[in-house]
Amino acid sequence: SHHLLTVIPILRGPHAGAVIVVRDVSEVRQLEAMRRDFVSGVSHELKTPLTVIQACTETLLSGALEDGEVARRFLCQIEEQAERLLQLILAMLQLARVESGSEILHVEELELGDLAGDVVDAFRAVAENRGVQLMQQGAATLAARADEQAVRTILSNLVDNAIKHTPAGGEVVVELRASADGPTLVVRDTGSGIPEELLGRIFERFYRVEKDRSRERGGSGLGLAIVKHLCQALQASLTVRSRLGEGSEFTVRFPRV
Ligand code: ADP
C-alpha cells in the first residue's frame, strides 16, 4: 500500500537524531480532501448571508437611510441574515463537538412519550402556519436509555425537515413503537420525498438535494449530519426510506432497555 514517510530531524540536545512518521498516504489524502470540502462548504455557507448584509449596508449608506420605511426593510434583512449566520455557526460548533466526541452525553432512562410530546408541541405553530397537520401516534409511553438533550435535537431536526418538505394539506407523524429490537421513534411525512440515489448523501454535512440549494429556505445542510452523529453516540440506528413525490420516513431505534 502507499505509505508516507515524514522524517523530522532533531538537531539539538543529547538525543539528536530523527523521528520518522509513517502514515498511509491514502488515509492522509482522504483527510485532506475532507478538510478541503469542509472549508469550501463553510465558506460557501457564510458567503451568501454576508453578501446580502453587505448589499443592504451599501444601499443604506448610499441614501436609503433617508427613507425610514425603506431603511427599516433593509435593517430587517440584515437582522435576518445575521441570525442565519449565528444559527449556522452554532450548528457547526455542535457538529464539531458531536463528531469529536467531546459532547458530554448523560445517558439515562427517558420517557420518549413525554419528550416527543414536547417537540410536537414546540412545532405545532410552525406546522399550522404551513397548513401541515402534525400528529403523535403509537405507544403513549416508551422508555429508552439515551441523553435527553440529544434526543430533543434529533427529533427537532427530523420534525423540522419533515414540515419544511411537506406541502400544505400534508401531514407529519411522530410515531413511537415498542419494537422487540428496541424502542423506536419514527418521523414520517407526506412531502416531496428524496430521490433514491441521493438517500446516502443527505447525511453529509452541507449536502442539500438540488431543489433545496436556493438558500432562501434557510437551513444549513448540517441538521442531518448532527442527527447521524448523535445517533452514533447514542448507539441508536438511523434509517431512512423515501419515495419521490410521496414522502419520507426516518427511523431511530435505540438500544434495548
Ligand atoms: P437542511 O438544513 O437543508 O434541512 P439537513 O441536513 O437537515 O439540511 O437535510 C439535508 C437535505 O436532505 C435537505 O436539504 C433536503 O434536501 C433533504 N431532506 C431532509 N429531510 C427531508 C424530508 N423529510 N423530505 C425531503 N427531503 C428532505
Side-chain angles (χ1 to χ4, degrees):
S1 69
H2 300 77
H3 285 93
L4 179 73
L5 282 181
T6 312
V7 182
I8 306 167
I10 304 172
L11 300 172
R12 279 170 229 278
H15 305 292
V19 177
I20 299 178
V21 183
V22 184
R23 282 187 93 171
D24 191 320
V25 174
S26 53
E27 186 195 332
V28 173
R29 288 228 182 91
Q30 211 180 329
L31 285 174
E32 271 170 10
M34 277 173 64
R35 193 181 49 79
R36 267 199 309 275
D37 284 355
F38 184 65
V39 171
S40 74
V42 171
S43 311
H44 193 88
E45 294 299 321
L46 295 178
K47 208 173 129 196
T48 314
L50 281 172
T51 307
V52 177
I53 289 176
Q54 198 176 32
C56 289
T57 320
E58 262 168 32
T59 314
L60 282 168
L61 288 175
S62 60
L65 209 51
E66 314 307 324
D67 183 334
E69 199 39 53
V70 175
R72 209 191 142 72
R73 255 199 353 254
F74 282 110
L75 285 170
C76 283
Q77 280 221 44
I78 291 174
E79 189 186 30
E80 206 175 285
Q81 297 301 322
E83 172 65 22
R84 201 159 135 190
L85 281 172
L86 184 63
Q87 291 309 326
L88 177 63
I89 287 164
L90 291 175
M92 287 196 296
L93 287 172
Q94 184 176 27
L95 181 59
R97 278 197 313 270
V98 179
E99 271 184 327
S100 69
S102 60
E103 176 99 316
I104 296 162
L105 298 179
H106 297 283
V107 174
E108 57 187 343
E109 184 156 323
L110 293 181
E111 178 40 58
L112 293 180
D114 296 342
L115 232 156
D118 286 353
V119 174
V120 166
D121 285 343
F123 279 93
R124 199 170 302 283
V126 182
E128 246 163 51
N129 274 338
R130 297 191 49 111
V132 171
Q133 203 185 346
L134 175 62
M135 295 171 285
Q136 184 174 336
Q137 292 180 352
T141 64
L142 186 63
R145 284 191 57 77
D147 173 274
E148 180 175 336
Q149 198 46 51
V151 179
R152 276 184 204 278
T153 305
I154 291 169
L155 256 185
S156 302
N157 275 309
L158 294 178
V159 170
D160 186 33
N161 277 346
I163 295 171
K164 255 196 270 179
H165 295 101
T166 301
E171 59 184 49
V172 171
V173 174
V174 177
E175 191 183 325
L176 282 73
R177 288 188 200 147
S179 156
D181 296 329
T184 304
L185 280 173
V186 179
V187 178
R188 192 167 48 234
D189 65 62
T190 59
S192 57
I194 302 158
E196 192 176 348
E197 67 275 15
L198 301 180
L199 281 179
R201 301 209 58 192
I202 56 172
F203 298 100
E204 290 172 18
R205 34 162 115 99
F206 300 122
Y207 189 80
R208 289 185 182 90
V209 176
E210 199 67 60
K211 62 176 172 45
D212 298 313
R213 295 274 165 80
S214 75
R215 298 298 189 268
E216 292 324 305
R217 277 166 177 271
S220 57
L222 294 176
L224 286 179
I226 292 173
V227 168
K228 181 180 100 175
H229 283 96
L230 283 174
C231 285
Q232 277 170 1
L234 295 172
Q235 295 174 323
S237 72
L238 171 64
T239 51
V240 56
R241 294 196 319 163
S242 189
R243 203 180 275 267
L244 205 56
E246 288 181 23
S248 310
E249 184 178 284
F250 289 80
T251 303
V252 180
R253 173 164 300 148
F254 297 92
R256 267 181 295 219
V257 183

